[in-house]
Structure formats: C-alpha cells, structure tokens
C-alpha cells in the first residue's frame, strides 16, 4: 500500500543510495567477470520508501555503487532521500553536502542514523526507525514545505507499518541487471540478543512477517525485469526467526518456482541451529536455496556464552555444518576476532576451523561495538570504547591491539591462499553440490542467462584460468567438478575465489581495514572522495 494521506502538491523525490567501502562480502573484484554488473544488491529500504510515497509524487532512484548522481538530478528534485549503514557514513555525508549545494532539503533514514543519529548533524530531517507514522509525518511536512529548515528535525517511528501492509519495493526504479544478486524481505527482527548485534534494538525481537502472497508478487516483479539477477537474497535478519512462519511460507515459494520453471536460486542468513529443523531444510532444498550465511563468530564453544550466542551450540558445530551441506546448502560464515575470550591459541583454533569446516567463504572481521547494542553499553561502562582512526576497531581489546590485527592478517592469509580456498571448494563438490535438486533447464535458458554465462565463462578461463598466478589450483578444482558434471560449480568457484584472493592480497598490503565497520575505513574512503586539489594541499609547504 502507498501512503494514504491526501497531499495537495506534487513533489519530486530523489532517492540516493551511497557507495559501499570495499569488503570481502561485496565481491567487487568479480564484477568485471560478469559483463555489466556494477553493484552487489539493490537496497530494500530506499526502494520501499520510493514505493510508499504518494501516488502523485515522482520518485527517482540512484545507486552510487552503479553511478554517481548528477547535478541535473539534484536540480530536478524537491527533496533528497538517503539511507545507509555505518560503513557508508562518509558517503552519506557527501550526498548531503552535494544536495545542500544544490539548495535541496535532505532526509536521512535507515539503520545507521536510527542507531546513532548524532553522527549526522547536517541533515535537515532524520527518519529514525522503520516505515510508519514518522514516514507519514515526513510526507505531511514535505507536502507543505520543501525549503531547508532553520534547524534539524527528528522524526521517530512509534507505530510501525505492518509488513503485511508494505508495498512492493520499487524494483522497476532500479536497474536490476546491474546487480550481482537480487534482494527480498520476508521478515524483520530476530528473537536472539547477541551482544554485538543491533538488530533487536532497531527492529525488535518478535519477527514481523509479510504474507506468502506478497512474496510471490515481489518475485513476479523481479523476474519481469529483463536481465534480472539469477540469485535472490532474503535480507531477513534471521530467516528462521519465526520457524512456523518460515515453514508455512516455503511451500508457496516452492510452488512459485515450479510454476515458473525455477528461474531463481535463493540465499539467506540464519542461525546455525537451523540444522535442527529438517522439515524446513527439506523445503529450502526443494525451493532451490543454495547458500546460507551463518554468524558462527567463533569456533570456541566456550566463548559463545560470553557474546550471548549459546544457540550456536545447540548442535555440535561441525555436525551442524555437515547437516546443512547435506541439504545442498553451502555455508558462508561470519567470524569475529578480538572477543574478550580470545587467547593466544584462538588464532590457531580459527585456522583449524577454516580447514576442517570446508566453508569456502568466511568474512573475518575484528570486533566492533555498534551503538544500541549490549556490547556498546558494556564497553561504555568499562571504559573500553576508543575513537582513534589510527586503530582498526573502536574496542579496547583484552589482548594487545597489534596482536589481534596480526591474528586477523594470518587468518585471512591462510583462508585465501589459493590452494586452501580451492581445496575447500573441492570439498563442496563432494559434500554439498550433489545434494541439490536438478531444476528444469527451461527456466534458465533465457537470452540474458546465456549471454551472462558466455561472458562469465570466457572471463574466468582468461583471467583466472590463464592469466592469474592461481590458475593451477583453479584448474585442479575445476577438473574435479567437471568430472562430476558440476559445470555451474566451476563458474561459482572461479568467480568467488577470484574476488577473495585479490581482496585478501590488497588487505595484506594495508589497503583495507580489519573491520568492515571501522573508523579507519571511513577515513580512507573520505580521502578517496576528496577532490585532487584538496589532496594536493597536503604536499604544499605551510
């Protein structure tokens, strides 16, 4: 549903999504292999807001991961809407400055400002929380007046709009063919309260749900766009946050796939205890889920209690991973270094876990305290929050900072040594990929998929199989897959490993920070965005 308020004016809203700082998880190094892919995933939040605006208002959407908003687009707008996460803070502020330079009123919403509004004193309106009564207030204000106010206004959602009343995101406004994967939301919120996570505070502990009919309608909208991504990611904070609802929804997803000849693959994120839900896993397999991101955080079970993540130990860790693999689900893992429980042995235990688990993709970060988390509150009480851009985290670790960073460097170097990552993909060829369902060829034989496959295949052979210095382990793993008829696995391992190997080498050269959220990353990105004449001033005598 759209905003039902009666408006008296016609407004033009420019929705601008800021660029990301490069990370392990966005696969930016692999985009050139795809031909035309420029960004990771379309943002649900801004596309939802665009769809909610009054019917008479015109909205345009620009993702600056694809291209920069132009002066003409700022000139066109009556108001500029922005949303983003903490890691995008420098880019968020940059958009605000450009909008103000064009004389436009600015509005900021999304997870970063909802978690720490004090970071954004220069925006005109702050929309705190999810879509709801604050959104309607914002519409009323902009309907009356789009001049820049004398002081900042904060609008905080008290009554959220039910997910069952959400409009379908404005997928038609986004160039889906430019994204690596698509995005879809079924639920919001998570029942767990992991110490480092801000999701329960921002979105609640009682998951709220869309209807299966909404899900299918949104999928229809995605595949209606020519060149849509072949993979759609459920952005739910925890796909099994409400197990009954997930179990009830999945048969609808299966029916949709069958009716459309399985045009999509799915991925999601969930807690590791989903291994205890064989009925859900069976339905996920039938719906063509391929990957699940799991926040394992640490392989040391004793440490899980310290971060309020004991549910990860509901099933022995390696047994849980094997169970997920047995349903055709390749596990992607989040790992955190710098926990209070870490010891000098933690580095070796993590390296052993990397090898034993056979998980190809592990996003290994340093612990970072986010506002509105129990970790933030505890470290504030203990005087262990630090704000030093020269450091890799805002946490004063129990171990020496340089030792923790050295452990991170050793862990990523081990994980993404070419021989190691391709060995883990060989493991998936044996333990995971054979358990996936065989889907009809008809749903995949589109002109776009054929073109995309030819471009990807050519680039993998050329850039990975011939020109790279890791061509030997690639061909060994690729040959292993081809002998088992797993052609798609060759594309996947070449694509993923290419990014991870290159990104790791850059990180080890000091080009990327050890925490995806770190202030150092923000400082570095600000340097990148600084005009050349300002950067040059650093080298002039004073």
């Amino acid at each position: 549903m759209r905003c039902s308020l009666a408006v008296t004016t016609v407004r033009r809203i420019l929705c601008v999504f800021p660029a990301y700082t490069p990370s392990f998880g966005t696969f930016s190094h692999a985009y050139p292999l795809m031909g035309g892919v420029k960004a990771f995933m379309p943002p649900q939040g801004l596309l939802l807001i665009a769809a909610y605006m009054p019917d008479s208002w015109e909205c345009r959407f620009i993702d600056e991961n694809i291209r920069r908003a132009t002066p003409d687009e700022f000139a066109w707008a009556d108001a500029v809407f922005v949303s983003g996460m903490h890691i995008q803070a420098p880019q968020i502020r940059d958009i605000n400055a450009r909008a103000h330079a064009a004389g436009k009123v600015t509005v900021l919403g999304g997870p970063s400002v909802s978690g720490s509004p004090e970071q954004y004193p220069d925006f005109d309106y702050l929309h705190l929380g999810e879509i709801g009564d604050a959104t309607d207030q914002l519409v009323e204000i902009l309907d009356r007046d789009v001049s820049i106010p004398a002081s900042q206004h904060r609008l905080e959602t008290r009554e959220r709009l039910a997910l069952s009343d959400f409009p379908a995101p404005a997928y038609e406004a986004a160039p889906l063919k430019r994204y690596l994967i698509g995005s879809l939301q079924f639920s919001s919120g998570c029942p767990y309260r992991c110490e480092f996570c801000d999701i329960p505070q921002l979105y609640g502990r009682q998951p709220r749900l869309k209807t299966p009919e909404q899900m299918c309608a949104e999928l229809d909208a995605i595949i209606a766009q020519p060149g849509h991504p072949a993979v759609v990611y459920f952005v739910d904070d925890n796909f099994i946050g409400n197990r009954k609802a997930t179990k009830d929804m999945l048969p609808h997803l299966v029916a949709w796939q069958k009716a459309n000849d399985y045009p999509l693959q799915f991925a999601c994120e969930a807690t590791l205890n989903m291994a205890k839900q064989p009925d859900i896993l069976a339905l996920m397999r039938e719906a063509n889920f391929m990957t699940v991101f799991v926040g394992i955080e640490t392989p040391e079970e004793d440490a899980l209690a310290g971060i309020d993540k004991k549910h990860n130990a509901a099933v022995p860790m390696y047994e849980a991973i094997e169970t997920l693999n047995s349903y055709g689900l390749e596990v992607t893992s989040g790992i955190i270094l710098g926990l209070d429980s870490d010891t000098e042995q933690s580095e070796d235990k993590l390296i052993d876990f990397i090898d034993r688990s056979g998980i190809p993709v592990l996003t290994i970060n340093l612990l970072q305290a986010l506002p509105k988390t129990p970790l933030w509150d505890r470290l504030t009480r203990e005087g262990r929050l630090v704000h030093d851009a020269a450091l890799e985290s805002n946490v004063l670790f129990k171990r020496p900072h340089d030792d923790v960073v050295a452990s991170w460097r050793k862990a990523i170097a081990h994980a993404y040594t070419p021989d190691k990552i391709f060995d883990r993909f060989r493991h998936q060829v044996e333990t995971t990929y054979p358990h996936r369902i065989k889907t009809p060829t008809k749903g995949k034989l589109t002109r776009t998929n054929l073109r995309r496959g030819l471009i990807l295949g050519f680039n993998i052979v050329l850039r990975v199989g011939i020109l790279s210095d890791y061509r030997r382990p690639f061909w060994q793993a690729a040959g292993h897959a081809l002998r088992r008829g797993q052609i798609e696995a060759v594309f996947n391992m070449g694509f993923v490993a290419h990014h991870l190997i290159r990104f790791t080498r850059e990180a080890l050269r000091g080009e990327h920070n050890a925490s995806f959220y770190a202030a150092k990353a923000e400082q570095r990105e600000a340097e990148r965005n600084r005009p050349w004449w300002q950067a040059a001033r650093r080298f002039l005598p004073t």
Side-chain angles (χ1 to χ4, degrees):
M1 59 176 282
R2 285 187 176 272
C3 176
S4 59
L5 295 176
V7 293
T8 59
T9 58
V10 175
R11 298 301 188 197
R12 293 178 294 194
I13 307 299
L14 182 65
C15 298
V16 186
F17 189 67
Y20 281 113
T21 298
S23 75
F24 276 109
T26 55
F27 295 97
S28 54
H29 282 301
Y31 299 162
L33 303 181
M34 294 287 289
V37 169
K38 299 291 185 182
F40 182 56
M41 183 169 60
Q44 284 275 309
L46 266 183
L47 293 177
L48 174 65
I49 288 292
Y52 186 73
M53 289 297 100
D55 191 52
S56 61
W57 290 17
E58 186 178 351
C59 292
R60 292 183 184 176
F61 168 76
I62 304 295
D63 186 339
E64 294 207 328
N65 293 283
I66 297 175
R67 68 169 181 84
R68 193 172 172 88
T70 66
D72 285 346
E73 285 165 330
F74 283 112
W76 167 87
D78 292 315
V80 177
F81 287 12
V82 189
S83 176
M85 298 188 291
H86 294 310
I87 191 62
Q88 296 166 291
Q91 298 90 309
I92 290 172
R93 297 185 192 107
D94 176 66
I95 295 168
N96 182 68
R98 286 149 55 203
H100 276 170
K104 305 302 178 179
V105 67
T106 57
V107 181
L108 177 61
S112 183
V113 68
S114 296
S116 49
E118 67 280 357
Q119 286 194 61
Y120 304 101
D122 296 329
F123 272 83
D124 301 313
Y125 294 97
L126 301 186
H127 183 293
L128 309 180
E130 292 183 88
I131 189 170
D133 54 354
T135 320
D136 289 343
Q137 280 182 267
L138 178 64
V139 169
E140 288 179 335
I141 291 169
L142 296 180
D143 184 43
R144 291 194 306 267
D145 186 7
V146 288
S147 60
I148 296 176
S151 60
Q152 184 182 83
H153 292 256
R154 294 188 181 187
L155 308 172
E156 186 167 1
T157 296
R158 303 296 180 185
E159 294 184 16
R160 297 175 172 130
L161 184 69
L163 261 70
S164 57
D165 290 331
F166 273 25
Y171 293 118
E172 70 282 356
L176 295 186
K177 65 182 179 181
R178 298 301 182 200
Y179 290 95
L180 176 64
I181 60 177
S183 61
L184 192 72
Q185 183 181 26
F186 169 56
S187 68
S188 179
C190 180
Y192 299 108
R193 193 156 169 75
C194 305
E195 187 187 40
F196 52 84
C197 183
D198 58 0
I199 294 300
Q201 181 66 25
L202 292 176
Y203 305 118
R205 297 186 64 186
Q206 182 65 42
R208 290 162 295 120
L209 310 162
K210 289 182 180 177
T211 66
E213 291 74 21
Q214 282 176 284
M215 305 296 303
C216 294
E218 291 182 27
L219 289 170
D220 287 337
I222 290 172
I223 67 169
Q225 189 171 142
H228 64 81
V231 178
V232 168
Y233 192 92
F234 278 80
V235 299
D236 302 26
D237 312 307
N238 182 355
F239 189 64
I240 60 164
N242 183 323
R243 295 169 195 160
K244 182 181 184 304
T246 303
K247 185 178 176 181
D248 290 344
M249 180 273 292
L250 282 168
H252 294 268
L253 201 58
V254 172
W256 184 90
Q257 286 275 53
K258 289 179 177 178
N260 290 279
D261 294 314
Y262 281 85
L264 298 173
Q265 298 175 352
F266 294 119
C268 67
E269 54 189 90
T271 42
L272 191 59
N273 59 358
M274 78 182 310
K276 295 178 64 178
Q277 308 297 320
D279 46 355
I280 290 178
L281 294 175
L283 286 167
M284 290 175 68
R285 178 179 182 273
E286 194 175 355
N288 211 27
F289 277 79
M290 299 288 191
T291 306
V292 57
F293 177 89
V294 175
I296 286 177
E297 321 309 356
T298 173
E300 301 178 59
E301 286 194 9
D302 292 346
L304 295 174
I307 55 174
D308 287 336
K309 198 142 189 178
K310 290 184 287 186
H311 49 273
N312 260 14
V315 179
M317 199 164 288
Y318 293 108
E319 180 185 325
I321 294 167
E322 289 173 5
T323 297
L324 298 179
N325 291 163
S326 72
Y327 286 91
L329 290 168
E330 182 176 292
V331 175
T332 297
S333 173
I335 297 291
I336 299 174
L337 284 168
L339 300 173
D340 284 0
S341 56
D342 283 2
T343 66
E344 292 180 359
Q345 291 73 45
S346 294
E347 175 187 300
D348 292 334
K349 290 177 181 178
L350 174 56
I351 287 172
D352 179 63
F353 170 78
I354 292 169
D355 291 340
R356 282 187 60 193
S357 68
I359 296 174
V361 181
L362 306 101
T363 58
I364 305 171
N365 290 304
L366 296 193
L367 180 68
Q368 183 81 5
L370 301 179
K372 295 195 174 181
T373 62
L375 177 65
W376 178 280
D377 295 340
R378 177 171 68 82
L379 294 183
T380 298
R381 292 193 302 270
E382 296 175 6
R384 293 175 54 205
L385 279 180
V386 293
H387 301 284
D388 184 346
L391 300 178
E392 298 281 351
S393 171
N394 65 353
V395 176
L396 183 62
F397 302 123
K398 289 289 186 73
R399 296 181 65 211
H401 174 271
D402 290 349
D403 289 358
V404 178
V405 174
S407 291
W408 174 77
R409 293 173 64 85
K410 185 174 178 181
I412 64 169
H414 179 89
Y416 298 121
T417 297
D419 286 342
K420 292 293 185 182
I421 186 170
F422 283 115
D423 278 349
R424 298 199 302 276
F425 272 117
R426 285 170 63 107
H427 175 77
Q428 297 300 305
V429 167
E430 293 291 339
T431 62
T432 303
Y433 306 152
H435 299 295
R436 292 173 174 171
I437 62 170
K438 290 186 170 36
T439 58
T441 305
K442 181 180 177 182
K444 304 176 218 176
L445 279 181
T446 65
R447 182 177 299 179
T448 298
N449 283 348
L450 289 172
R451 176 181 172 276
R452 190 178 285 152
L454 288 172
I455 293 172
L456 180 59
F458 173 81
N459 281 321
I460 286 176
V461 170
L462 178 64
R463 301 192 189 198
V464 181
I466 297 175
L467 299 179
S468 77
D469 59 4
Y470 39 89
R471 56 187 175 271
R472 185 171 180 271
F474 164 72
W475 283 118
Q476 288 174 335
H480 187 69
L482 289 171
R483 286 191 292 272
R484 286 153 180 78
Q486 297 180 17
I487 298 173
E488 191 172 343
V490 177
F491 286 73
N492 181 58
M493 67 177 66
F495 175 91
V496 172
H498 178 69
H499 165 74
L500 294 172
I501 292 168
R502 289 174 62 88
F503 188 89
T504 297
R505 290 175 175 179
E506 291 174 353
L508 293 174
R509 292 196 299 265
E511 297 176 25
H512 303 295
N513 57 285
S515 172
F516 184 57
Y517 301 97
K520 188 174 179 181
E522 295 188 6
Q523 184 184 54
R524 188 176 292 119
E525 193 64 23
E527 290 289 330
R528 287 196 190 103
N529 291 330
R530 182 175 295 176
W532 67 267
W533 61 86
Q534 290 184 13
R537 290 176 60 188
R538 291 178 300 165
F539 302 100
L540 297 176
T542 58

